[in-house]
Amino acid sequence: MVIGHFAEQVIDFGTEAGPYRAIFIFIYAFHMPLFIFVSGLFHKNRNISQKVFAFISIGLIYKILIYCIRRVTEGEASFKLL
């Protein structure tokens, strides 16, 4: 993890990246699928439908709240579900 973040910083500063760019691309090619796979290994299938409904509801309430705040403060807003 440290090497990946270090390589990202070197690339962001615009210096001669060389091998750091290769390390960055190699790590970012597999790290997210690996995290998804590992989290699936530890997943327990209890109350999954309730959890999904709760998270979707929280997201929808958040979107509606942001819409209302922008409508009041800016005078106009657009509601985008995704």
Side-chain angles (χ1 to χ4, degrees):
M1 188 166 85
V2 172
I3 293 171
H5 285 287
F6 177 74
E8 183 179 16
Q9 292 297 321
V10 170
I11 291 169
D12 284 346
F13 285 128
T15 59
E16 186 62 36
Y20 297 112
R21 186 175 222 33
I23 292 169
F24 179 79
I25 291 171
F26 174 73
I27 290 173
Y28 276 80
F30 72 87
H31 85 284
M32 286 309 293
L34 179 67
F35 288 149
I36 291 169
F37 175 74
V38 170
S39 68
L41 289 176
F42 296 107
H43 172 71
K44 291 186 170 69
N45 197 11
R46 290 182 286 179
N47 300 327
I48 192 71
S49 61
Q50 291 176 348
K51 289 180 182 179
V52 168
F53 180 73
F55 283 123
I56 290 175
S57 299
I58 290 170
L60 184 61
I61 290 169
Y62 173 74
K63 287 282 194 179
I64 292 171
L65 182 66
I66 294 298
Y67 172 79
C68 292
I69 290 172
R70 285 188 178 161
R71 181 77 172 177
V72 169
T73 58
E74 298 173 5
E76 63 180 63
S78 63
F79 184 78
K80 297 177 183 174
L81 187 58
L82 299 175

